[in-house]
Amino acid sequence: MGYEMNWASFNVIEVMSSQKFAYKRIAYVAACQSFKPETEVLMLATNLIKKDLASANMFDTSLALNGLANFLTPDLARDLSADVVALLNNSRPYIRKKAVLTLYKIFLKFPDALRPAFPRLKEKLEDPDPSKPLSLHPFHSFQKVKKYQY
């Protein structure tokens, strides 16, 4: 954006907790644009994101997955990886696909999350949704990385 927004970080998190979807969406977009790994109040958002991931509203869950993928830190990846893996069994294909794509970012920041999630990812290869195998495409890049040796 060109300007430092550190002064607004707490306000962004405050609006992210709104019950109104329009406010929540604007706050998540602001978080995606302004939060950096060194943002001090980012850890305050952990419980808020966890609540949105578990929401019955598909749109709240989608916002949380998108935001998490954009401002993910190793600590957030460690704390929220189990919640994202649980979304692989969501009844909506859209949420399952976003969860797979978010897991890719989580694995890049916190590789230890791959071992417990691998069986579920393997199941998703047989998902009846035709777009699911395409969302698993980023995981082929892990074959090239010898550091992780999966």
Side-chain angles (χ1 to χ4, degrees), residues 49-61 87 90:
I49 296 169
K50 188 178 277 228
K51 184 184 83 158
D52 285 341
L53 288 174
S55 174
N57 185 346
M58 164 179 128
F59 301 110
D60 289 346
T61 305
L87 288 174
N90 193 291

Side-chain angles (χ1 to χ4, degrees), residues 23-147:
Y23 295 158
K24 188 181 287 271
R25 181 177 60 179
I26 291 169
Y28 270 101
V29 169
C32 290
Q33 294 292 315
S34 64
F35 285 1
K36 298 178 176 87
E38 58 272 357
T39 302
E40 295 175 6
V41 295
L42 193 53
M43 288 310 293
L44 294 175
T46 304
N47 287 334
L48 174 66
I49 296 169
K50 188 178 277 228
K51 184 184 83 158
D52 285 341
L53 288 174
S55 174
N57 185 346
M58 164 179 128
F59 301 110
D60 289 346
T61 305
S62 175
L63 276 176
L65 286 169
N66 184 44
L68 186 61
N70 282 293
F71 52 76
L72 191 66
T73 64
D75 292 332
L76 280 175
R78 182 191 67 233
D79 295 340
L80 297 173
S81 62
D83 296 311
V84 177
V85 169
L87 288 174
L88 291 176
N89 290 334
N90 193 291
S91 62
R92 299 186 180 267
Y94 178 72
I95 297 298
R96 291 194 307 260
K97 182 177 179 179
K98 277 191 159 257
V100 167
L101 294 171
T102 304
L103 278 173
Y104 176 70
K105 295 277 191 132
I106 287 174
F107 297 152
L108 290 176
K109 297 283 184 176
F110 183 64
D112 293 340
L114 183 58
R115 290 218 189 270
F118 191 74
R120 290 236 182 115
L121 282 172
K122 200 165 125 179
E123 289 172 9
K124 293 303 143 195
L125 284 172
E126 300 169 0
D127 198 324
D129 181 31
S131 66
K132 185 61 67 184
L134 295 177
S135 66
L136 290 172
H137 180 70
F139 291 100
H140 293 292
S141 66
F142 277 121
Q143 294 173 352
K144 298 176 184 173
V145 180
K146 295 186 181 197
K147 176 180 175 185

Side-chain angles (χ1 to χ4, degrees), residues 9-22:
S9 297
F10 187 76
N11 295 352
V12 168
I13 289 179
E14 192 174 326
V15 177
M16 283 169 68
S17 67
S18 174
Q19 297 299 320
K20 294 186 176 185
F21 178 74

